[in-house]
Amino acid sequence: MRMLVLGGTWFLGKEVVVGALARGWEVTTFNRGRSGPDVFGVDAVHGDRTDAGDLHRLASHGPWDAVVDTSSSELAPRDVLLAARALADQVARWVHVSTVSVYADWPLHPLTESSPLLDCPADADDTFGYTGEDGSPTKYGFQKAGGERAVSEPLDGRAVFLRPGVILGPGEYVGRLPWWLTRAARGGRILAPSPAQRRIQPVDVRDVAAFALDQAAVTGADGAFNIAHPSGLTFAEFVTACLTVTGGAGRPLWAAPEDLTSHGVKQWTEMPLWRTHAGVWAVDPSRAVAAGLRCRPLGETIADTWAWLKADGRPVKHPRWAEHGIAPENEARILASVSGAN
């Protein structure tokens, strides 16, 4: 099996490469060489996927049985289209890592793969789309929907789309789980969003990588898969697990959503993984599960991420890291004002 990975040096892309090599596959990676070292054992090609000349040079290293694209999250559809057209004749199958944000109903309503998608042309630039006043839809979602179309058109039935919600695990660069872990380790009263029994569905990066590789090896089928944990865990279980693995002497104080919003707490960023919309954690992954998606217990994800952080885990520098987590002084102020209700 010969595989091309677009990306391949950090988080999901790195896990895909490591997993492919462990299966005995021959792996080529293509990236700019800026985010991290190439995994030992790959045929590393460095270049810019928005440069037609670099893509032509990459194509000369083919053909491949499959490509797994983990590096399009910040690209405009037209840039995704450029790469898909340049490589279409050199790959038998394209596994495209997309996002649940492509759905018009996310995060307002429960989702299946038949839910309607946002409409964005395959050749759109980075100005296309908008973000609604309540955070839905998002410009990001429009862009990623256009990216899917940009792959579908030149690949013509040879593409599969993975639509994860939240991916956690060792190497995370966004900072959601690392923030909760470091906050738990600090101890004390911890501001947490009620209801404590609300279930969340993040998935482990290693499980997403394994499923991507399984799909890369499939022939004769295309389509899309929602990637979400089929059982998940409650927010209370999540916070408890963070406290347990870090040894933090903390105690969560479960604040009502209206208390948090009245104090200006930003959903999804200042309070990572918290969002009040009904559909945010109502993503149906049954199609992926039937196709072989296997998700480890999230307690294992939490413990392994803490072990990575303690071992001087250094994620790739990314601006989104600084967006996540509430400042200690703001948390203390809100705790003082809502403590009487708990």
Side-chain angles (χ1 to χ4, degrees), residues 88-118:
D89 292 338
Q90 296 297 319
V91 298
R93 184 168 177 79
W94 191 294
V95 179
H96 188 77
V97 180
S98 183
T99 169
V100 74
S101 296
V102 299
Y103 290 110
D105 287 339
W106 191 85
L108 303 177
H109 303 290
L111 298 174
T112 69
E113 288 85 358
S114 62
S115 298
L117 303 181
L118 295 169

Side-chain angles (χ1 to χ4, degrees), residues 102-192:
V102 299
Y103 290 110
D105 287 339
W106 191 85
L108 303 177
H109 303 290
L111 298 174
T112 69
E113 288 85 358
S114 62
S115 298
L117 303 181
L118 295 169
D119 189 18
C120 177
D123 59 353
D125 64 18
D126 59 5
T127 66
F128 190 92
Y130 64 92
T131 297
E133 291 184 3
D134 67 344
S136 176
T138 64
K139 183 178 178 181
Y140 174 75
F142 279 105
Q143 292 277 308
K144 296 312 107 186
E148 289 194 10
R149 184 173 291 180
V151 172
S152 291
E153 292 182 2
L155 269 295
D156 190 25
R158 293 179 287 131
V160 63
F161 302 98
L162 309 187
R163 296 171 180 158
V166 173
I167 303 176
L168 304 177
E172 183 197 336
Y173 64 91
V174 175
R176 295 184 177 106
L177 178 52
W179 183 83
W180 277 107
L181 286 165
T182 54
R183 178 62 192 90
R186 196 167 77 240
R189 291 193 307 167
I190 300 172
L191 187 66

Side-chain angles (χ1 to χ4, degrees), residues 168-170 172 177-178 181 300-310:
L168 304 177
E172 183 197 336
L177 178 52
L181 286 165
E300 182 179 331
T301 304
I302 293 167
D304 290 350
T305 302
W306 180 241
W308 165 70
L309 287 171
K310 284 199 303 179

